Amino acid sequence: MDVGDHALQQHGSPTLDAIGHIGRDLKLHGGVDAVTATATPGGIGAKLGVDHFPVDLMLNRAVVLDVARQIAGGRPDQLPPGFEVTAAHLDATAKAQGVQVRPGDSLLIRTGWGQYFGKDNAKYLGEQSPGPGQDAARWIIDRKVRLAGNDTATFEKRPAAYGKELFSVHMMLLTDNGIYIMESANLEPLGDAKVGVALLVVTPLRIEGGSGSPLRVLAVA
């Protein structure tokens, strides 16, 4: 199934965030100084750009958790605006689908908001989309996931603020743990087919030092 049939740019739809996409306190993943690593025309240095996406992650086992359908009692629904996906939601969905997230897996979370792409872009790109919060991020980290993605424009719930900290889920996954983030994937076909596990094919462009890349993503189930 094609989970990447939305149209594209360096950060497109879908898109992959490189490990060096965001930092914390002027430090990128591995404690790399953000100013030094981004001070040349070659983009992000220290092998944190999208051109260093691991080859073995281009073909990977992916677990698809249809959180929206689980919460809606089996209906192909969508999560409410600003809804925070928690660890309990991920646990309950995995158990209901009979799937298990293993170390090294990719993880895709369906919120149902993919249906708004190209049809209601004001809503899709707005400040009230659902997604994982810090609690769910810790669940993802604890299971040693290598790539986490969903069907919204910013992956984590919006508003993406915890006090004065913005996009902390991005920081927790990318900066603190080196977990790639995929956004704006078309997960509706997987949800309709009730696919729980698939082979995920991820082929980012080799943009030198790029902070991300548009994708053509396939899920083979």
Side-chain angles (χ1 to χ4, degrees), residues 1-6 13-14 185-190 200-201 215-220:
M1 294 180 185
D2 190 342
V3 298
D5 60 351
H6 293 334
S13 298
N186 179 15
L187 301 183
E188 294 306 290
L190 294 176
L200 193 67
V201 183
L215 296 173
R216 183 66 181 269
V217 190
L218 298 176
V220 182

XYZ file of all heavy atoms in Angstrom, residues 1-6 13-14 185-190 200-201 215-220:
164
model
N 0.840 -1.190 0.000
C 0.000 0.000 0.000
C 0.877 1.242 0.000
O 1.904 1.292 0.675
C -0.892 0.011 1.246
C -1.914 -1.109 1.263
S -2.920 -1.039 2.756
C -3.884 -2.518 2.532
N 0.454 2.237 -0.734
C 1.191 3.489 -0.815
C 0.757 4.386 0.324
O -0.372 4.834 0.379
C 0.909 4.155 -2.156
C 1.819 5.347 -2.418
O 2.407 5.851 -1.441
O 1.933 5.754 -3.568
N 1.662 4.623 1.302
C 1.328 5.509 2.414
C 1.960 6.887 2.210
O 2.033 7.692 3.135
C 1.771 4.910 3.768
C 1.044 3.624 4.017
C 3.271 4.693 3.832
N 2.395 7.157 0.961
C 3.064 8.411 0.699
C 2.558 9.140 -0.514
O 3.327 9.765 -1.223
N 1.250 9.068 -0.787
C 0.770 9.713 -2.008
C 0.229 11.111 -1.749
O -0.846 11.487 -2.171
C -0.294 8.844 -2.694
C -1.507 8.596 -1.817
O -1.454 8.941 -0.631
O -2.512 8.070 -2.333
N 0.994 11.903 -0.999
C 0.711 13.331 -0.852
C 1.867 14.060 -1.564
O 2.981 13.580 -1.577
C 0.689 13.718 0.638
C -0.429 13.122 1.432
N -1.625 12.745 0.879
C -0.514 12.847 2.753
C -2.410 12.280 1.850
N -1.758 12.322 2.975
N 5.097 15.973 2.147
C 4.011 15.171 2.681
C 3.950 13.852 1.931
O 3.503 13.823 0.788
C 2.689 15.909 2.533
O 2.702 17.103 3.257
N 4.384 12.759 2.525
C 4.945 12.688 3.875
C 6.373 13.201 3.928
O 6.992 13.443 2.893
C 4.889 11.197 4.199
C 4.999 10.531 2.868
C 4.281 11.429 1.896
N 1.899 10.949 6.816
C 1.733 9.703 6.066
C 0.249 9.453 5.807
O -0.603 9.819 6.616
C 2.328 8.533 6.843
N -0.048 8.847 4.687
C -1.428 8.496 4.346
C -1.738 7.114 4.925
O -1.462 6.086 4.295
C -1.617 8.498 2.831
C -3.027 8.106 2.426
O -3.937 8.107 3.253
N -3.218 7.774 1.166
N -2.314 7.072 6.108
C -2.556 5.809 6.798
C -3.984 5.303 6.646
O -4.338 4.262 7.217
C -2.226 5.967 8.296
C -0.794 6.394 8.613
C -0.579 6.450 10.120
C 0.224 5.465 7.961
N -4.804 6.006 5.871
C -6.189 5.582 5.703
C -6.308 4.194 5.053
O -7.117 3.376 5.496
C -6.980 6.629 4.915
C -7.142 7.959 5.673
C -7.741 7.755 7.051
O -8.931 7.410 7.133
O -7.010 7.916 8.047
N -5.536 3.888 3.995
C -5.638 2.543 3.417
C -5.265 1.439 4.409
O -5.892 0.382 4.433
C -4.657 2.582 2.238
C -4.553 4.033 1.885
C -4.650 4.751 3.187
N -4.256 1.671 5.243
C -3.863 0.676 6.244
C -4.959 0.509 7.288
O -5.244 -0.604 7.735
C -2.547 1.090 6.918
C -1.306 1.108 6.032
C -0.111 1.623 6.805
C -1.010 -0.281 5.493
N 7.751 -1.836 6.029
C 7.758 -0.421 5.665
C 8.982 -0.122 4.802
O 10.108 -0.444 5.174
C 7.779 0.449 6.918
C 7.470 1.934 6.713
C 6.020 2.120 6.275
C 7.733 2.726 7.993
N 8.732 0.491 3.653
C 9.792 0.867 2.729
C 9.924 2.387 2.759
O 9.021 3.114 2.348
C 9.477 0.402 1.291
C 10.635 0.742 0.364
C 9.170 -1.090 1.266
N 9.126 11.953 1.100
C 9.226 10.508 0.977
C 8.207 9.952 -0.001
O 7.127 10.503 -0.182
C 8.940 9.845 2.332
C 9.883 10.116 3.492
C 9.321 9.516 4.762
C 11.269 9.556 3.203
N 8.560 8.838 -0.595
C 7.596 7.924 -1.172
C 7.659 6.689 -0.300
O 8.655 5.976 -0.282
C 7.939 7.592 -2.633
C 6.891 6.690 -3.307
C 5.563 7.408 -3.461
N 4.539 6.585 -4.075
C 4.311 6.528 -5.396
N 5.089 7.219 -6.219
N 3.337 5.789 -5.870
N 6.615 6.448 0.480
C 6.626 5.375 1.472
C 5.651 4.285 1.057
O 4.519 4.572 0.667
C 6.224 5.916 2.865
C 6.484 4.867 3.929
C 6.982 7.182 3.202
N 6.084 3.041 1.193
C 5.230 1.911 0.878
C 5.134 0.997 2.098
O 6.116 0.803 2.822
C 5.788 1.105 -0.294
C 5.920 1.836 -1.635
C 6.583 0.919 -2.663
C 4.572 2.310 -2.146
N 3.947 0.454 2.327
C 3.747 -0.552 3.363
C 3.295 -1.835 2.675
O 2.261 -1.867 2.028
C 2.691 -0.088 4.365
N 4.105 -2.887 2.810
C 3.807 -4.175 2.190
C 3.236 -5.089 3.267
O 3.921 -5.433 4.231
C 5.067 -4.786 1.564
C 4.718 -6.110 0.875
C 5.706 -3.814 0.583
